[in-house]
Amino acid sequence: MKHAYLALSLATILNTPLVAFAAEKTQVKDSIEHIEVAGQVIKSQGLSVKNETIDGPFGDNLALQDIARSVTPISSELIEQLNITTLQDVLAVSPNTYSASGFGAPSLPTIRGQLGELFQDGTRRQAGNNGFGVPLSFNSVEQIDVIKGAPPVLFGSSQRNGGFVNLQSKVASTDESKGKASLSAGRWDQYSAQIDYTAPIIKDKVGFRVSYEHLDHGSYYDYSGTKSDSLFAALRILPDDKSTWDINFELYQVEFTDNAGINRPTQALIDDGLYITGQGVQANGSTVPAAGSIVSPTGQVNIDRSTVLTDPDNQNEATTYLIHSIYKRELSANASLKNITYFQHLQREEIAQNSFVEIIDGADTAQNRTELTYSWNDEQQTIFAFDVRYNKVLGYSQFTTEADLPIDLTGPLLNRRIPLTDAQKARLVELRPGVFVSPGAQYDIDNDGSGDFNLSDTTDSRSWQTGFAIQQNSDWTDKLHTSVGYRVDYYDVEARDPIAPQGQTAASDSINDTLQSGQLSFNYKLNADFTSYGAASYNEATSNSMAGGNVLGGGNVISAQNFATENTLVEFGLKYAPIDSDWYADGAVFSQRRSLRNRDGSNTGIRTTGFESQVFYDAYPYWLSAGYSYIDARYDNSASSQDSAQVADAFDNSRPDIIAGTGVGAPSFTPFAPSNSQVQGIPEQSFSFNGNYSITSKWQTGFSGLYTKSYPLDFLQTVKIRDQYTLNVNTSYAFTPSTKLRLDVNNITNQKNWRPVFEGGYFGATLAFPELPINAKLTLTHKF
């Protein structure tokens, strides 16, 4: 607003001589020429997606309406306004991003019913194994771009293709010094602090930025919590007026909880909070949870929703550091160069009392991509990209003896613990005293023709991915724009067993393969306000295990099927972005076919069709947004599987007044024949809305809400999560232009909502995650 007033003042001053001169002319003229000076007040609060630019996926500095995809850019102002702290929170503003809980620590986004990829500054970050991995800190993030559909050719072949999130890192300032500090305190002893400061080292040449965040979060859930530290540092160098060089570094350390929610998700549990008691019993009489255990119900009680499958003696921590370098240079009037370099190191260790083990003893990923953009004329532009990515993973895993359904959560902690028997240990390998993991290959020690070991994701693997991409952007008329892209990636992969059983020669294998991808899109401006678009994409992707590693499959070889995942997208949309209005809206219809990696390493084809729309209004003192999504997600004549076929399999029929148990025993891994059934764990419809009103220049109040339609929790649709909603409110008061206090109250109506625990529905008949009850957080922010 101050710029508008400045322009008005200058214009008035500059026109004063003209007014005086015109006054003198009144003595000789009958009429006076009137000169009107008008100023336009800037009303935007930075809370609309309309004016944000997108860098990376399809080129640089692209306006939202010029991208032929469904996109939601979330600025730093919008991140603060919506209180976004995890990837799950993007659903508040971006349609079709509903996600499972990710065992309480989501590390990947969920977009259009499937896990998506996580990028930062245009390079793919290491992330979790099927969504379960290391929590994400937004300490380094300036903007979050949520993009639907497979990554474009510039980003290359990856693993997950429902969509992707590209995090744009904070950058250092070279012309001014500024900082921001914030402190927050919330229910259940949740405390956090962050300080962010940037300043020039050499004015207009070199600047630095440092941001530090500390979290010490207690939890509503039993035996849960998060403690983390993130240190981010950035350097911006401007060698000359034609180039920029941004270098940033982040060190992140976290201790967190693997939270599996509540087991035995009957309809009575979902609807009324009623939990069936009774510990499962093995055929030999043991009450240690194990496959095939059967529960004789002893009663039904109201369970406290904080009582979840956790254990105070579990160990779970991770450390990672990342380095990004982004160099841009204008080579000539027609050519520009961009080079992106990325390196990440990750170590993680979880040893749980229910016999689950995942240890990443070192995962290193390095990538370098060079992009050359050449404009042949004002209408034709070509982008060439050369990409090399290296990934090395040494990890150990063991999940074959877990058993959740037999556990009675209302009993003692001993009910949850699974000490391994000698027979189970014999099918594993001792990594260190008391810690048993699966070997990375299968061995037939007794020569009976079948393997003698349990396999999971243990591996020592290395992969080289070398890619070349070309993208042609064409402006055929003032209204019609097209983009065509093609990429080829060559993979060179090897994997070996890092912990072969004693006396066995470690198995190993290697594989080479070539994957291709292509895309085609158009934008057509119907008029100054409306742009229509269409996009088609074909993508061949990989199927990987933890930290992006590769495992040995059947026959102790790397399966060629891991490099044969085909994904397609067809999307049409309309975007409304008027220049002289405070509104923005878009809508898209889509059809995607893609593959989902199952827990056992196999792939399942899924086809989704749907519609999504978002609308924004941003004009002081109001801000409003709304999003709607419809998705029909079905297995594409493809097989699926679950931990158990249905929750009733865990129980006998001794208490038909409580449950009609089948007596099958659980867990009992169940494959389902190829079908076109609805994919479990995904609501067909969801609606989100957000708003903010400035009561005065200092005092603001806001709200947000989310509604999801009823959907099945398990494949057989024996249990459903009903229609549910969440309402949040917030208010803030600025004591000075620099100091603000904000109060957030989440789930203000204290709804007892649920989510799936795991992507893909594998635990749909076994687990359900209780969302948080009403809770509040107070945040003090000071800018300096």
Side-chain angles (χ1 to χ4, degrees):
M1 187 177 291
K2 64 181 181 181
H3 296 99
Y5 290 148
L6 178 60
L8 177 60
S9 301
L10 289 173
T12 303
I13 293 170
L14 292 173
N15 281 285
T16 298
L18 296 176
V19 176
F21 180 72
E24 293 177 4
K25 291 293 185 178
T26 58
Q27 300 176 3
V28 295
K29 290 190 175 183
D30 294 331
S31 62
I32 299 175
E33 179 183 4
H34 293 278
I35 301 175
E36 295 183 1
V37 180
Q40 182 180 2
V41 177
I42 300 173
K43 298 188 294 181
S44 172
Q45 304 168 85
L47 298 177
S48 174
V49 301
K50 178 179 176 181
N51 298 317
E52 302 299 330
T53 58
I54 310 297
D55 284 339
F58 308 96
D60 286 344
N61 300 314
L62 296 179
L64 189 59
Q65 61 267 31
D66 295 331
I67 298 176
R69 283 283 190 91
S70 178
V71 181
T72 306
I74 306 173
S75 65
S76 57
E77 293 85 1
L78 199 50
I79 292 173
E80 179 179 347
Q81 173 62 36
L82 295 173
N83 192 27
I84 293 176
T85 58
T86 73
L87 285 172
Q88 287 182 334
D89 297 333
V90 299
L91 178 60
V93 69
S94 182
N96 261 326
T97 54
Y98 184 81
S99 64
S101 73
F103 288 96
S107 63
L108 289 169
T110 299
I111 301 174
R112 290 181 177 170
Q114 194 206 352
L115 284 172
E117 290 288 10
L118 180 64
F119 291 82
Q120 185 162 4
D121 299 324
T123 55
R124 180 161 46 105
R125 287 182 50 144
Q126 289 174 353
N129 183 6
N130 279 22
F132 174 58
V134 180
L136 177 67
S137 168
F138 288 138
N139 180 49
S140 66
V141 177
E142 188 73 25
Q143 180 170 310
I144 304 170
D145 296 330
V146 184
I147 302 166
K148 316 299 173 57
V153 296
L154 292 180
F155 280 10
S157 173
S158 59
Q159 179 182 357
R160 305 167 183 95
N161 294 276
F164 61 97
V165 167
N166 186 36
L167 307 175
Q168 294 190 29
S169 298
K170 296 175 178 177
V171 297
S173 172
T174 60
D175 57 2
E176 65 174 335
S177 301
K178 57 183 179 180
K180 179 180 177 181
S182 64
L183 297 171
S184 71
R187 192 179 179 187
W188 309 301
D189 296 323
Q190 297 195 347
Y191 305 103
S192 65
Q194 184 187 57
I195 185 166
D196 185 352
Y197 181 72
T198 182
I201 299 174
I202 303 174
K203 189 171 178 60
D204 298 326
K205 289 290 184 182
V206 182
F208 78 95
R209 185 167 185 170
V210 176
S211 184
Y212 172 73
E213 178 188 64
H214 174 73
L215 301 182
D216 189 350
H217 282 184
S219 179
Y220 162 72
Y221 306 106
D222 292 346
Y223 314 119
S224 297
T226 301
K227 292 185 179 180
S228 69
D229 293 278
S230 169
L231 175 64
F232 173 79
L235 187 68
R236 165 161 279 196
I237 303 171
L238 305 178
D240 50 47
D241 60 354
K242 296 183 182 299
S243 57
T244 62
W245 189 12
D246 289 297
I247 306 168
N248 58 63
F249 169 84
E250 181 182 10
L251 174 63
Y252 179 61
Q253 192 279 330
V254 61
E255 299 176 17
F256 63 104
T257 302
D258 174 355
N259 185 344
I262 298 177
N263 63 343
R264 304 180 181 177
T266 62
Q267 198 64 58
L269 176 69
I270 300 300
D271 293 345
D272 303 312
L274 295 176
Y275 184 84
I276 301 175
T277 59
Q279 183 75 356
V281 179
Q282 298 182 42
N284 62 5
S286 172
T287 58
V288 173
S293 296
I294 298 176
V295 180
S296 295
T298 57
Q300 197 171 30
V301 300
N302 277 293
I303 190 170
D304 192 313
R305 290 166 60 88
S306 64
T307 305
V308 291
L309 277 168
T310 54
D311 193 299
D313 291 342
N314 287 353
Q315 304 174 43
N316 198 10
E317 59 184 5
T319 300
T320 185
Y321 61 84
L322 304 89
I323 300 170
H324 281 93
S325 167
I326 304 103
Y327 177 76
K328 299 179 181 179
R329 181 168 182 81
E330 182 182 336
L331 301 176
S332 68
N334 297 330
S336 62
L337 178 75
K338 178 167 72 171
N339 181 270
I340 303 174
T341 301
Y342 152 78
F343 176 80
Q344 181 175 2
H345 174 78
L346 169 68
Q347 287 187 284
R348 175 170 184 258
E349 179 162 302
E350 177 178 4
I351 302 174
Q353 297 302 306
N354 69 343
S355 75
F356 177 83
V357 177
E358 183 169 290
I359 297 173
I360 299 176
D361 209 14
D364 296 302
T365 305
Q367 183 173 355
N368 182 273
R369 182 169 70 248
T370 300
E371 298 177 12
L372 175 65
T373 302
Y374 189 82
S375 298
W376 305 94
N377 50 49
D378 292 340
E379 292 80 31
Q380 301 293 328
Q381 180 193 74
T382 307
I383 303 176
F384 303 93
F386 179 73
D387 211 338
V388 178
R389 180 181 176 90
Y390 172 75
N391 192 58
K392 179 183 181 298
V393 178
L394 174 60
Y396 307 93
S397 177
Q398 149 55 8
F399 51 68
T400 61
T401 56
E402 287 181 81
D404 296 324
L405 277 174
I407 295 169
D408 183 351
L409 274 178
T410 65
L413 280 175
L414 190 63
N415 280 8
R416 314 179 187 187
R417 296 179 174 174
I418 304 178
L420 298 177
T421 65
D422 289 340
Q424 289 171 324
K425 291 177 182 179
R427 296 187 62 83
L428 302 169
V429 179
E430 192 169 22
L431 176 65
R432 53 180 185 253
V435 179
F436 289 82
V437 298
S438 297
Q442 187 59 269
Y443 304 92
D444 181 11
I445 295 179
D446 57 11
N447 297 315
D448 66 351
S450 61
D452 297 320
F453 294 89
N454 296 346
L455 299 185
S456 50
D457 281 341
T458 297
T459 188
D460 180 2
S461 67
R462 297 167 181 80
S463 68
W464 284 95
Q465 176 185 350
T466 305
F468 175 77
I470 182 170
Q471 179 175 306
Q472 180 67 32
N473 301 321
S474 304
D475 291 318
W476 301 106
T477 68
D478 291 341
K479 294 186 175 183
L480 179 62
H481 171 84
T482 63
S483 180
V484 181
Y486 171 78
R487 174 162 175 149
V488 59
D489 283 280
Y490 177 76
Y491 280 84
D492 184 1
V493 180
E494 59 182 43
R496 62 181 297 274
D497 181 1
I499 187 166
Q502 186 175 4
Q504 301 297 308
T505 301
S508 63
D509 189 35
S510 62
I511 191 172
N512 300 315
D513 209 339
T514 301
L515 278 65
Q516 302 179 72
S517 58
Q519 64 190 41
L520 170 66
S521 67
F522 74 86
N523 297 73
Y524 185 78
K525 290 186 176 296
L526 301 175
N527 53 44
D529 296 340
F530 288 92
T531 302
S532 62
Y533 73 87
S537 170
Y538 171 80
N539 175 279
E540 295 177 342
T542 62
S543 180
N544 306 108
S545 61
M546 58 180 173
N550 294 270
V551 296
L552 297 174
N556 289 346
V557 299
I558 302 171
S559 174
Q561 288 297 111
N562 290 350
F563 302 87
T565 303
E566 297 181 341
N567 306 274
T568 60
L569 163 70
V570 176
E571 180 179 321
F572 293 96
L574 182 67
K575 299 186 179 184
Y576 173 67
I579 297 175
D580 57 351
S581 172
D582 302 306
W583 289 92
Y584 172 84
D586 64 33
V589 293
F590 62 88
S591 175
Q592 290 186 204
R593 186 196 184 280
R594 57 195 185 277
S595 186
L596 173 73
R597 182 180 186 267
N598 299 317
R599 186 175 169 86
D600 63 358
S602 64
N603 291 315
T604 294
I606 295 175
R607 183 177 296 277
T608 60
T609 56
F611 169 78
E612 59 202 22
S613 179
Q614 57 186 356
V615 59
F616 288 82
Y617 176 79
D618 182 17
Y620 183 86
Y622 299 101
W623 169 73
L624 297 168
S625 80
Y628 171 78
S629 62
Y630 167 79
I631 185 170
D632 181 21
R634 296 187 175 275
Y635 293 103
D636 190 21
N637 193 28
S638 186
S640 182
S641 62
Q642 276 185 176
D643 182 51
S644 292
Q646 56 184 326
V647 66
D649 289 349
F651 304 96
D652 62 26
N653 200 30
S654 60
R655 290 291 303 273
D657 56 315
I658 296 177
I659 188 170
T662 65
V664 171
S668 52
F669 173 80
T670 305
F672 297 108
S675 72
N676 298 107
S677 299
Q678 179 183 356
V679 178
Q680 65 271 38
I682 303 171
E684 282 189 325
Q685 298 184 66
S686 64
F687 175 68
S688 63
F689 53 93
N690 308 278
N692 183 73
Y693 174 67
S694 296
I695 301 171
T696 68
S697 61
K698 295 183 177 181
W699 184 18
Q700 296 180 331
T701 184
F703 61 88
S704 65
L706 172 66
Y707 164 81
T708 54
K709 187 70 175 170
S710 174
Y711 60 93
L713 188 59
D714 61 320
F715 181 87
L716 296 177
Q717 303 191 20
T718 62
V719 177
K720 290 188 176 182
I721 293 180
R722 308 297 191 184
D723 293 18
Q724 56 186 26
Y725 68 91
T726 305
L727 295 176
N728 310 313
V729 296
N730 66 80
T731 186
S732 64
Y733 187 82
F735 297 98
T736 70
S738 301
T739 305
K740 181 173 67 175
L741 185 66
R742 170 170 167 146
L743 173 67
D744 286 276
V745 182
N746 303 312
N747 192 11
I748 193 168
T749 58
N750 202 28
Q751 298 299 298
K752 293 178 171 59
N753 294 333
W754 298 86
R755 280 182 189 247
V757 166
F758 193 65
E759 302 291 344
Y762 183 81
F763 290 110
T766 306
L767 304 168
F769 193 85
E771 295 191 16
L772 292 174
I774 184 172
N775 61 94
K777 181 175 72 170
L778 196 63
T779 303
L780 178 66
T781 303
H782 178 70
K783 296 180 180 179
F784 55 93

